[in-house]
Amino acid sequence: MSRLEITTHIGCPINCLDCPQALLRSKYKGKRDMDLNEYKAAIDKVPKSCRIDFSGMCEPFANPHAADMIVYAADHPLALYTTLQGATKEDWEKVKDLNYEVVTIHLPDQDGRSHFVITDEYLELLSIWDCSAYSCHGTIDERVLPYIRPNKPLITFMHDRAGNVPYRPHLTIPNNYALWCITSGVKMDHNVLLPDGTVLMCCMDYGMTGVFGNLFEQSYEEMLHSPTAEAMRATLTMGESICRHCSNARI
């Protein structure tokens, strides 16, 4: 299944230690918040079979229009990955009854690897927001334990972000080995939409090495088969790219 991840805002407030936010901010030159009307026009171009993932490279609710964006994409398969930071009870009312394939809630840790603001409103949302699983980058902060649902899976894996987190070990696959990706095979159709319409190769590309095009200016098919997109696909057979340093790569 093809996927398009929505980065609603640049500069994630959670700023996890294992997320290369500084690299993205150094490369990205567009506006910080995605405009709701431009977003709607872009989503109208995306095939209905393409899953819309609210995750991208930032907490979705860092954009005040995030709930409306989720609702607008409800005729696509949906996924939501959120910390709930920035979300409100009104947001929950708008999106709680939508049909999701996945909802993962990232929890605060007590090891200082992520930066949450824990308020009464946040704890209330955490207690009522249903999910498929939780994730945490360390030991769960004991303050939230009474508010999470029992018997939900807990994801603790921290991605190497294709070598973009310098202190984390990562792969190096020789340039002459053909490889494929466990999320998109060889199609490279699991992409990321940034607030200015830029579409990146994937959610590991914080350095913006594979800009496929601009969905505000192009059709979905033009973007997906742009010269840059085809050149990046060719590196799966031979050549250097971040794919050769990513734990999603297989040979």
Side-chain angles (χ1 to χ4, degrees), residues 193-204:
L193 178 67
L194 300 184
D196 66 351
T198 297
V199 177
L200 299 180
M201 171 175 62
C202 73
C203 61
M204 304 302 154

Side-chain angles (χ1 to χ4, degrees), residues 4-8 34 39 43 52-56 69 193:
L4 184 65
E5 296 193 21
I6 311 300
T7 299
T8 66
M34 186 176 290
Y39 159 83
I43 292 300
I52 306 300
D53 286 15
F54 287 87
S55 54
M69 292 176 175
L193 178 67

Side-chain angles (χ1 to χ4, degrees), residues 51-222:
R51 194 172 89 176
I52 306 300
D53 286 15
F54 287 87
S55 54
M57 296 169 166
C58 181
E59 162 54 51
F61 290 103
N63 186 310
H65 301 295
D68 295 322
M69 292 176 175
I70 297 170
V71 170
Y72 191 79
D75 54 353
H76 291 255
L78 283 179
L80 174 62
Y81 300 84
T82 178
T83 63
L84 303 182
Q85 295 285 283
T88 66
K89 187 76 172 289
E90 181 182 3
D91 292 330
W92 176 75
E93 291 286 357
K94 288 180 179 179
V95 305
K96 64 184 177 67
D97 294 324
L98 299 179
N99 185 26
Y100 300 93
E101 291 192 349
V102 177
V103 176
T104 298
I105 296 176
H106 178 186
L107 299 172
D109 64 276
Q110 59 188 37
D111 307 307
R113 306 197 72 81
S114 53
H115 302 89
F116 281 70
V117 178
I118 298 179
T119 64
D120 289 342
E121 182 180 28
Y122 163 75
L123 293 173
E124 179 187 9
L125 285 174
L126 185 59
S127 69
I128 63 176
W129 209 300
D130 196 12
C131 65
S132 314
Y134 295 107
S135 68
C136 188
H137 293 176
T139 304
I140 298 174
D141 190 312
E142 61 184 14
R143 291 174 292 176
V144 306
L145 290 175
Y147 300 91
I148 62 178
R149 298 171 184 241
N151 304 318
K152 295 286 185 179
L154 177 64
I155 301 165
T156 58
F157 171 75
M158 289 183 282
H159 208 286
D160 57 24
R161 297 298 177 191
N164 285 323
V165 181
Y167 61 85
R168 291 192 64 80
H170 57 83
L171 292 174
T172 298
I173 299 174
N175 290 359
N176 60 338
Y177 278 58
L179 55 88
W180 57 281
C181 174
I182 61 172
T183 65
S184 63
V186 296
K187 294 181 179 179
M188 288 191 174
D189 58 358
H190 185 159
N191 313 116
V192 178
L193 178 67
L194 300 184
D196 66 351
T198 297
V199 177
L200 299 180
M201 171 175 62
C202 73
C203 61
M204 304 302 154
D205 194 13
Y206 282 77
M208 299 183 66
T209 64
V211 175
F212 280 15
N214 190 298
L215 197 55
F216 292 170
E217 301 169 0
Q218 298 171 279
S219 72
Y220 180 81
E221 288 301 320
E222 287 172 332

